[in-house]
Amino acid sequence: MDSLVSTEWLAGELGASDLRVIDATIFLPGSGRDARVEYETEHIPGAVFMDLDEIVDSASPLPHMLPPEAKFASRMQTLGLGDGSRFVVYDNSPLHSAARAWWMLRTFGAHYVAVLDGGLQKWKAEGRPLESGSRQIRHAHFSPMLDQSVVADLDYVSGIVHSDAHEIVDARPAPRFTGEEAEPRLGVMGGHIPGSRSLPQTELFSPDNSWKRGDALRSAFEQAGVDLSRPMVATCGSGVTAAVLLFGAHLLGKEDVKLYDGSWAEWGSDPSTPKATGAA
């Protein structure tokens, strides 16, 4: 199974005994939208709802930090997401949050994980079937194996600020990167990590919400000033859209990318970290 699958492919695979479809929609605080309510209203047949706001490290004051292995395994088992299954993740969010679920599943050891190209938006535009409500789920066994090598923390990022050997790439909208627009979370300053590049995650998508591919995708990184030959750290507001940049790099065959899990929610609220404003 490819990392990116089409709506046509998924429509042909629905009902396969080893296939699990996952709705990983999430929204920014204050958006006025409720991902779980929207899932229960309509979703791809057979999909389960992966609550990215709840599958977190509840001991951390930061949003969306990776949970402990035991908690992740417990949540996956409750959702019927077990070892050996093929997972297809989609969303219906401007944050393209399926990429975060894809990254989390892979980071905890899942082998067969794909993102649905175009998400629910494209699925609906094509008139494909939907269902509503919640569903009975048969528990499955998930064996977590957390790969810490793909996760960057505050100390790691602090050590590569202004490094010519690395790239730090920020997925937030440009006005938040420059500090012109306030952050959606209280207590978080505006601006960006010094030396980082601004690549809003929306730049990786075509007008129909499908992923850019090949030269068009590569050009999005290059136009942002990102040197793809260097190891990269992806960051954003809370580690969700950073996964979009990481998945985009993956589509280009680039795997030397870490995700800064604390992202700007951590960096921007820490008085000891250096901060920059304006364009990069």
Side-chain angles (χ1 to χ4, degrees), residues 23 28 57 66 74 91 105 131 134 138 191 248 258 261 272:
D23 184 322
L28 279 174
D57 182 357
L66 283 175
S74 172
D91 64 70
L105 283 160
E131 67 179 16
S134 55
R138 183 177 180 179
K258 296 178 184 287
D261 207 24
S272 71

Side-chain angles (χ1 to χ4, degrees), residues 67-142:
E69 286 186 332
K71 180 175 181 178
F72 189 81
S74 172
R75 298 302 186 269
M76 295 307 99
Q77 289 165 184
T78 300
L79 291 174
L81 306 177
D83 299 338
S85 292
R86 295 177 298 159
F87 305 133
V88 175
V89 191
Y90 74 88
D91 64 70
N92 189 32
S93 170
L95 303 179
H96 298 107
S97 49
R100 172 71 184 194
W102 172 87
W103 179 75
M104 289 176 69
L105 283 160
R106 282 171 45 102
T107 298
F108 279 101
H111 296 293
Y112 310 109
V113 192
V115 169
L116 177 64
D117 197 13
L120 189 64
Q121 175 182 319
K122 193 167 189 288
W123 182 271
K124 289 174 62 177
E126 294 169 348
R128 300 191 185 275
L130 296 165
E131 67 179 16
S132 60
S134 55
R135 50 186 278 109
Q136 289 291 105
I137 298 171
R138 183 177 180 179
H139 285 209
H141 180 74
F142 186 94

